[in-house]
């Protein structure tokens, strides 16, 4: 027996065959129109589109992604072929791979590795291959790595790098705010004792060597051994990440850098920290000025000369190369390039600075120097001023410029209320290093030190709302040297002359409080030349002389600001209130502090104001805040002695043809 549905269908077809309108449905009801086209008294229509043109699921996936515009570096600049016409996309890719192959070339073989662009996990007939044609060579030179292709993942976007990290790098996760949480392996900080610089005929006389210097020497041969080890490791991999980027926002003095690495984490980190080129800039990129080979997952050979561990960070200024072995901590790349800038920029009469920098709405620029715990980040990040940069800068004849394209902020104990800009910058695209998070919600617990206390966030500078783009500004009006004096004898603010500026800049003083768990209450003086001794290449007095020269030429004023203790040392006194320090900084920015009356202090000979708006006048001279005047004098002399002892290593260095400037700097120190 037929169903009611079959009967209805038969009746409909019969009606149409007999000329009865198909619009007449059963029981006189209108029939629902299901054919596409112009509605004629229909209730609804079929709005489905034509089927996709793909014949397979792979073809469908290929339609999902629109191809980007070509962005291939072309040696020598320009986008023209040999015949004068525009290069095809295939030719652009070929030239790009030739450049990268040359970077990865081994010096024991005739050519660089065979390269193919693209993710090896994506099999595609459109992948571009490149390899040099080999001449006939002895069979002994053939190796497994020379028989394979290395896939190059070139200048990937953050989204692409997220995919690579999540798929292939254990310990990579997306946090609740969209940042990429990752691990740096066994090393969670820099390894300054494992950093080496090639000492050759040029660097022998140019660089700072010996006591107090961060430059530990190695010879050219040992560098080449480590370079070969790193390059062989990278060439043995199925894929490598290559970043071509810039340093220095000053277009006249920017540096082209290439970073070859094995981890998506490292590629994304440098994508954020260096200046990101436009596709047009990449087409003219050409040969890089400096190259990093990051083979951090692979150790160096401990038996190699000059090696003291399985970690080695090696810089060869003549070859313009840096090799990283045995550490995956990404900060080695950032600070390694900063050291290079400390060498390259002074050659152009440009001062490289480890400082924060901001600018007022009237164009007044301030530089902030300070070691960890002095408040450099807090005070240079001001909602009422534009941020030029938080860490690395250049001062040229054009003004100031940020070296980097991003920020590398500490995350330990991060709170939204205290650091809203950093908190809000931790979103998609940001790298979070070594943080701990809830396994279900992926919410980061910033107070957790289970992995390390040195948790960090690396993000593009445009993630800061008041960042000034491009990150350049006019010549500084104020130079602020920050010290957290836990001895409690330095004034909250003092104005420095040029000689004092050089003295305190070379000293790079702050004081750290010893751990309280074993009952130790004595503060410990810490000195870091130029407020960044670990990164400077030349003798500190050279940077100090350049600073004084530029300040004098452009009319800048220097200030020593103490953010530490008052009324006694740590344990008896109290820390100077942040609101008072902010009032002092505001007075410096506004220029009102230049018009104040000043009086000198004893021993250090600092000029201190008698009045600052919003700051109790009694705290401006530290002796007034100590109830025990004898204890104050003893502590003052103790700190002065520490300054004098620290400066002994610099006292014998002559600046220029005579020792006149050196004598002036020494005379600007404490006298007792």
């Amino acid at each position: 027996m037929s169903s009611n549905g079959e009967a209805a269908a038969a009746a409909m077809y019969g009606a149409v065959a007999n000329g009865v309108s198909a619009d007449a449905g059963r029981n006189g009801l209108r029939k629902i129109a299901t054919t596409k086209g112009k509605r004629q008294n229909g209730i609804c229509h079929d709005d489905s589109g034509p089927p996709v043109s793909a014949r397979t699921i792979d073809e469908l996936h290929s339609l999902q992604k629109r191809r980007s515009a070509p962005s291939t570096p072309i040696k020598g600049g320009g986008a023209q072929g040999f015949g004068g016409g525009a290069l095809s996309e295939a030719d652009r890719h070929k030239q790009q791979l030739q450049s990268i192959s040359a970077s990865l070339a081994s010096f024991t073989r005739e050519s660089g590795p065979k390269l193919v662009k693209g993710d090896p996990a994506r099999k595609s007939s459109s992948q571009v291959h490149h390899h040099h044609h080999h001449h006939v060579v002895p069979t002994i030179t053939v190796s497994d790595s020379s028989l394979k292709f290395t896939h190059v993942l070139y200048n990937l976007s953050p989204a692409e790098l997220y995919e690579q990290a999540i798929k292939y790098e254990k310990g990579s996760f997306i946090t609740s705010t969209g940042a990429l949480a990752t691990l740096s392996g066994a090393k969670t900080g820099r390894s300054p004792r494992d950093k080496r610089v090639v000492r050759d005929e040029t660097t022998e006389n140019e660089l700072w060597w010996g006591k107090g210097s961060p430059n530990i020497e190695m010879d050219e041969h040992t560098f080449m051994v480590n370079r070969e080890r790193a390059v062989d490791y990278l060439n043995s991999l199925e894929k490598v990440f290559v970043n071509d980027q810039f340093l220095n926002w000053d277009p006249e003095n920017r540096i082209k850098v290439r970073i070859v690495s094995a981890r998506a984490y490292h590629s994304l980190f440098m994508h954020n920290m260096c200046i990101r080129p436009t596709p047009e800039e990449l087409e003219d990129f050409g040969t890089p000025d400096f190259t990093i080979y990051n083979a951090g997952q692979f150790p160096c050979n401990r038996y190699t000369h000059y090696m003291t561990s399985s970690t080695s960070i090696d810089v060869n200024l003549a070859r313009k190369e840096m090799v990283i072995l045995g550490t995956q901590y990404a900060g080695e790349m950032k600070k390694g390039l900063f050291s290079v800038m400390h060498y390259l920029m002074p050659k152009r009469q440009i001062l490289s600075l480890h400082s924060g920098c901001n600018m007022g709405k009237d164009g007044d620029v301030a530089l902030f120097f300070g070691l960890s715990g002095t408040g450099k980040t807090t005070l240079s990040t001001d909602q009422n001023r534009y941020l030029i940069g938080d860490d690395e800068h250049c001062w040229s004849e054009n003004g100031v410029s940020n070296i980097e394209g991003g920020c590398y902020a500490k995350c330990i104990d991060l709170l939204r209320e205290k650091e809203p800009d950093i908190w809000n910058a931790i979103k998609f695209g940001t790298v979070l290093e070594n943080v701990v998070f809830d396994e279900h919600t992926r919410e980061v617990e910033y107070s957790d030190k289970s992995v390390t206390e040195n948790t960090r966030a690396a993000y593009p500078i445009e993630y800061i709302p008041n960042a000034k783009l491009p990150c350049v500004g006019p010549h500084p009006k104020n130079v602020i040297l920050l010290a957290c004096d836990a001895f409690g004898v330095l004034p909250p603010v003092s104005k420095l002359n040029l000689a004092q500026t050089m003295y305190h800049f070379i000293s790079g003083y702050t004081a750290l409080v010893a751990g309280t768990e074993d009952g130790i209450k004595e503060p410990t003086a810490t000195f870091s030349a130029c407020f960044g001794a670990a990164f400077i290449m030349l003798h500190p007095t050279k940077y100090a002389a350049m600073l004084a020269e530029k300040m004098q030429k452009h009319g800048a004023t220097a200030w020593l600001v103490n953010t530490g203790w008052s009324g006694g040392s740590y344990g008896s006194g109290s820390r100077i209130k942040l609101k008072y320090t902010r009032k002092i900084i505001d007075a410096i920015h506004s220029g009102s502090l230049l018009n104040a009356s000043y009086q000198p202090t004893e021993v250090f000979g600092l000029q201190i104001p008698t009045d600052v708006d919003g700051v109790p006048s009694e705290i401006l001279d530290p002796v007034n805040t100590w109830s025990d005047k004898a204890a104050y004098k003893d502590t003052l002399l103790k700190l002065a002695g520490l300054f004098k002892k620290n400066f002994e290593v610099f006292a014998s260095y002559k600046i220029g043809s005579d020792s006149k400037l050196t004598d002036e700097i020494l005379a600007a120190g404490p006298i007792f």
Side-chain angles (χ1 to χ4, degrees), residues 177-440:
T177 62
L180 179 69
T182 187
L183 295 172
S184 65
K187 298 292 180 75
T188 57
R190 291 183 298 104
S191 302
R193 294 181 181 178
D194 295 311
K195 184 181 176 183
R196 302 287 182 269
V197 181
V198 173
R199 188 168 185 167
D200 54 28
E201 293 180 357
T202 302
T203 58
E204 168 77 29
N205 300 316
E206 289 184 336
L207 301 193
W208 177 28
W209 303 102
K211 185 178 179 181
S213 168
N215 302 316
I216 306 173
E217 70 177 271
M218 74 186 309
D219 59 29
E220 174 80 13
H221 174 76
T222 305
F223 175 84
M224 295 307 297
V225 169
N226 282 354
R227 183 192 187 280
E228 191 78 357
R229 192 172 177 89
V231 167
D232 281 348
Y233 169 74
L234 292 167
N235 288 339
S236 72
L237 301 176
E238 191 175 22
K239 64 186 176 187
V240 294
F241 298 89
V242 177
N243 291 42
D244 281 348
Q245 296 182 252
F246 299 118
L247 297 177
N248 197 351
W249 283 85
D250 179 359
E252 293 182 16
N253 295 292
R254 71 180 182 184
I255 301 297
K256 299 181 292 184
V257 294
R258 171 169 292 165
I259 304 101
V260 185
S261 59
R263 292 192 61 182
Y265 148 50
H266 291 151
S267 186
L268 180 58
F269 177 91
M270 294 306 281
H271 170 88
N272 290 347
M273 295 311 303
C274 295
I275 299 169
R276 294 157 290 282
T278 64
E280 293 75 21
E281 288 172 329
L282 272 181
E283 291 187 11
D284 290 331
F285 195 86
T287 303
D289 298 315
F290 199 87
T291 302
I292 293 179
Y293 301 97
N294 189 341
Q297 290 169 290
F298 197 65
C300 68
N301 187 337
R302 291 171 180 262
Y303 290 98
T304 305
H305 195 35
Y306 297 102
M307 299 300 103
T308 53
S309 74
S310 61
T311 298
S312 192
I313 303 98
D314 309 324
V315 176
N316 189 326
L317 295 171
R319 291 189 53 81
K320 303 176 183 178
E321 292 178 339
M322 176 179 173
V323 170
I324 298 175
L325 291 164
T327 174
Q328 298 179 61
Y329 181 65
E332 295 288 9
M333 296 182 288
K334 164 187 161 66
K335 290 305 186 183
L337 289 175
F338 189 34
S339 295
V340 171
M341 294 295 280
H342 270 307
Y343 174 74
L344 295 177
M345 292 298 102
K347 283 180 167 292
R348 305 183 185 186
Q349 301 305 309
I350 297 171
L351 178 60
S352 49
L353 301 165
H354 187 214
S355 69
C357 183
N358 66 24
M359 186 181 79
K361 294 178 180 178
D362 294 329
D364 58 297
V365 169
L367 294 172
F368 292 81
F369 296 89
L371 302 179
S372 179
T374 59
K376 181 181 73 169
T377 301
T378 301
L379 295 172
S380 62
T381 305
D382 188 329
Q383 296 295 327
N384 298 315
R385 296 174 66 84
Y386 300 109
L387 179 68
I388 293 176
D390 74 330
D391 195 42
E392 303 174 8
H393 293 87
C394 286
W395 188 351
S396 71
E397 286 304 304
N398 299 325
V400 292
S401 57
N402 191 349
I403 290 175
E404 302 179 295
C407 302
Y408 194 35
K410 290 182 178 180
C411 290
I412 196 66
D413 296 325
L414 180 67
L415 295 173
R416 186 200 296 265
E417 297 75 23
K418 289 187 176 181
E419 301 287 356
D421 285 344
I422 296 175
W423 180 280
N424 293 328
I426 299 176
K427 56 186 179 180
F428 181 82
T430 297
V431 176
L432 275 176
E433 281 182 333
N434 301 316
V435 298
V436 176
F437 51 84
D438 184 278
E439 64 178 357
H440 176 60

Side-chain angles (χ1 to χ4, degrees), residues 52-66:
V52 295
S53 59
R55 292 168 294 179
T56 66
I57 192 66
D58 288 338
E59 287 187 18
L60 177 60
H61 288 168
S62 71
L63 295 174
Q64 186 182 23
K65 301 170 186 173
R66 180 178 59 82

